[in-house]
Amino acid sequence: MKVLMPSSLLSYTGTSRVEASGTTLAELVADLERRYPGIRFRVIDEQDRVRGHMRFFVNNEQVFDLSHRLRPNDEVCLMQALSGG
Amino acid sequence: MAHTTRKSSARKKKTVTARAKRPERRLVVLVATRKGAWLFHGDSARKAWKSDGPHFLGHIVNHLVLDPRDGRTLLAAAKTGHLGPTIFRSTNLGRTWEEASRPPAFAKAPAGKTGRAVDHTFWLTPCHANEPNTWYAGTSPQGLFRSEDNGDTWAPFSIVNDDPQYRAWMGTVQDGTPDGPKMHSIIVDPRDTAHLYFAMSGGGVHETRDRGRTWSPLVQGMEVVEGFDASNIAFHDPHCVRLCPSNPDRLYQQNHCGIYRLDRPSNIWTRIGSAMPKAVGDVGFPMVVHPRDDNTAWVLPMDGTTVWPRTSPGGKPAVYVTRNGGERWQRLDAGLPKSQAWWTVKRQAMAADAHNPVGLYFGTTSGELWMSRDEGRRWTCIARHLPEIYSVEAAPLD
């Protein structure tokens, strides 16, 4: 499925739109890690929590649960929160 | 007799000439900031500086350290405002960088328990030549980690991260500094790599003599904020601890509550900041020791009164030096702003080189990099308009 990446992760993916697969959000992130080593820890911490300023949207709905089930045609967007300074 | 004197004089002259001819090594000053990192390459006279950067523009870089064992491996502790923490590694002085494949991370908590997550790696310490490729890292919240493959993979080190007593002394994220509680000042005894120190803000100074199997607090003599119980390790806030390279039995410490010296085997710190001018006080972040003289150390005081402005006292920054182990202090401010300079210097942002005379370097919260070629007698600004500076290290290059 298509995954839209934030600009802060382009150093890993090289492009803002990538392909990845998984039946859950956790599997999708694992697939992204296989394709782009190191990317997972920048987004998910060691306790499997999505980092405070990162957000997942599936079909434009915000999702916090990594066990959220995905369908092949879902559109996943990984965003960085509008925060910082 | 006269002949002997002439010979001696000639020999002395020859020695002096030989010393004068021996070129000092080139230096690189490593500057880590809130928005990236810079390398300042100096000539052997430390007069011309060439800037290389920014590296990792936009990353919060807490520490950038060159491995003295090979003189070319750099480790950078980095994160961004949004992304989690990582370690970047370069083996060619920053021409190219690779990311650690397993950055410092706490152990996964058992189901039903809330585990800690590393917010950022704060401190990096290379081990000694007899432990090649080995590094230690201190994190926020407080955690101690070790890498044995030149910073590529990191694992929790010793019992500290999960020991209930140490966790109690570490407190919560609300008990630390405004930027999060820190593990810092990881020191390896150059005579014995099983003998380590670390410090926590807050949580005291600690020591192991068995490579981390057991640790003991080392806080006797250290004061805490008035009204608190000094016997409670959690209330101790060491800001920066340094071991003297010329005498590993002597340590200096800049604390939230004063400046201290410890001469081993004693376990009792002596407050040596009491000799500082009362109008300036003895609060600050950094402390730097002389590479060859254990009686000489430098501090850069800040305003720790009222609401803790953390600025130079009165807007008049100055370095203070002791040349007798803390009995007396001398103000060194020639070349520094005389007024209206409201910056300070963070705990990792002051360093010394090993030249003779020693060069001193510090980076300010306002993004200025200052240096002295004569042990602090005269200061020169070598860079302005950098982001807030978090750490400064001076390292020789071959």
Side-chain angles (χ1 to χ4, degrees):
Chain A
M1 66 194 72
K2 288 182 172 53
V3 184
L4 183 62
M5 308 300 291
S7 62
S8 56
L9 292 171
L10 293 186
S11 62
Y12 292 86
T13 61
T15 176
S16 60
R17 292 178 188 277
V18 301
E19 285 285 334
S21 59
T23 60
T24 64
L25 205 49
E27 287 183 13
L28 182 90
V29 173
D31 190 42
L32 287 171
E33 173 68 17
R34 273 190 293 276
R35 295 167 188 252
Y36 311 108
I39 201 168
R40 186 182 193 280
F41 194 63
R42 307 302 300 274
V43 178
I44 313 280
D45 73 22
E46 57 265 56
Q47 307 303 334
D48 290 335
R49 296 179 296 232
V50 179
R51 293 197 182 276
H53 298 274
M54 302 304 292
R55 293 287 182 270
F56 283 99
F57 287 80
V58 179
N59 302 329
N60 296 319
E61 293 290 329
Q62 192 167 182
V63 174
F64 294 95
D65 183 2
L66 288 175
S67 64
H68 180 87
R69 295 204 69 80
L70 297 173
R71 292 163 301 184
N73 293 327
D74 281 347
E75 286 196 358
V76 178
C77 178
L78 177 53
M79 295 187 74
Q80 55 187 41
L82 300 176
S83 57
Chain B
M1 188 68 179
H3 179 69
T4 309
T5 306
R6 269 202 308 274
K7 255 180 91 176
S8 164
S9 168
R11 195 182 307 124
K12 201 178 285 177
K13 190 175 178 184
K14 190 175 176 186
T15 308
V16 169
T17 307
R19 275 191 191 148
K21 278 187 176 173
R22 190 175 62 197
E24 294 278 14
R25 295 164 78 184
R26 286 184 305 116
L27 288 167
V28 61
V29 177
L30 310 169
V31 180
T33 82
R34 187 167 177 260
K35 300 287 184 183
W38 279 259
L39 281 66
F40 288 86
H41 289 270
D43 60 357
S44 56
R46 299 172 296 184
K47 286 187 175 170
W49 297 92
K50 190 178 167 197
S51 167
D52 169 18
H55 296 258
F56 319 113
L57 179 62
H59 273 73
I60 302 162
V61 185
N62 271 288
H63 212 181
L64 176 62
V65 177
L66 181 69
D67 189 340
R69 295 164 295 190
D70 66 11
R72 61 189 177 94
T73 299
L74 285 166
L75 293 195
K79 65 166 282 185
T80 76
H82 299 89
L83 302 179
T86 193
I87 304 284
F88 291 111
R89 308 157 59 237
S90 171
T91 54
N92 51 22
L93 268 178
R95 281 199 295 279
T96 57
W97 295 89
E98 285 183 12
E99 187 174 356
S101 53
R102 197 170 75 219
F106 291 115
K108 180 92 161 48
K113 300 266 187 187
T114 303
R116 294 190 298 162
V118 172
D119 180 79
H120 57 274
T121 297
F122 182 69
W123 188 279
L124 294 165
T125 293
C127 204
H128 289 294
N130 58 356
E131 289 194 310
N133 306 320
T134 302
W135 291 71
Y136 291 100
T139 60
S140 174
Q142 303 100 317
L144 183 57
F145 298 86
R146 179 174 156 113
S147 168
E148 296 179 355
D149 55 11
N150 234 351
D152 184 33
T153 61
W154 295 81
F157 177 69
S158 85
I159 50 102
V160 167
N161 295 0
D162 298 309
D163 178 74
Q165 179 61 82
Y166 268 87
R167 289 292 305 279
W169 288 335
M170 290 171 186
T172 69
V173 289
Q174 288 185 313
D175 297 318
T177 70
D179 192 26
K182 315 287 190 196
M183 165 86 68
H184 61 87
S185 302
I186 303 164
I187 297 168
V188 186
D189 188 328
R191 302 160 300 187
D192 176 8
T193 53
H195 183 205
L196 305 164
Y197 300 92
F198 70 75
M200 298 192 291
S201 290
V205 181
H206 300 266
E207 174 186 39
T208 178
R209 291 185 177 276
D210 54 17
R211 203 182 300 277
R213 223 155 29 90
T214 56
W215 293 88
S216 312
L218 196 57
V219 300
Q220 279 190 72
M222 288 162 49
E223 295 177 29
V224 296
V225 173
E226 188 177 3
F228 286 80
D229 177 7
S231 69
N232 186 336
I233 306 300
F235 294 150
H236 286 277
D237 187 2
H239 284 175
C240 183
V241 181
R242 300 289 186 189
L243 176 144
C244 293
S246 60
N247 174 11
D249 282 328
R250 173 166 283 188
L251 294 100
Y252 287 93
Q253 179 193 158
Q254 174 66 73
N255 186 290
H256 188 92
C257 298
I259 306 167
Y260 297 83
R261 194 190 74 224
L262 175 64
D263 290 312
R264 312 309 307 272
S266 170
N267 289 337
I268 303 175
W269 293 89
T270 301
R271 188 166 184 171
I272 57 174
S274 307
M276 287 279 288
K278 291 287 173 278
V280 174
D282 65 342
V283 172
F285 280 125
M287 182 132 206
V288 171
V289 295
H290 195 289
R292 293 174 295 275
D293 174 10
D294 66 348
N295 279 317
T296 297
W298 296 268
V299 293
L300 207 153
M302 68 179 181
D303 187 344
T305 61
T306 62
V307 294
W308 274 70
R310 296 178 176 85
T311 61
S312 51
K316 300 171 184 174
V319 171
Y320 281 76
V321 64
T322 179
R323 295 206 173 266
N324 44 32
E327 281 181 40
R328 290 182 304 281
W329 294 89
Q330 179 192 357
R331 185 178 177 93
L332 303 170
D333 62 1
L336 294 175
K338 294 298 175 204
S339 64
Q340 297 295 332
W342 300 103
W343 39 258
T344 193
V345 173
K346 295 204 160 179
R347 76 190 79 201
Q348 287 149 293
M350 189 171 182
D353 65 32
H355 282 212
N356 188 10
V358 170
L360 295 172
Y361 309 82
F362 67 78
T364 71
T365 48
S366 59
E368 295 173 6
L369 181 62
W370 289 82
M371 71 95 50
S372 167
R373 281 180 285 274
D374 52 11
E375 308 201 350
R377 289 178 191 85
R378 181 81 198 169
W379 293 93
T380 308
C381 186
I382 57 177
R384 285 193 166 88
H385 311 307
L386 295 170
E388 180 178 3
I389 294 176
Y390 282 178
S391 82
V392 172
E393 298 281 351
L397 294 174
D398 290 324

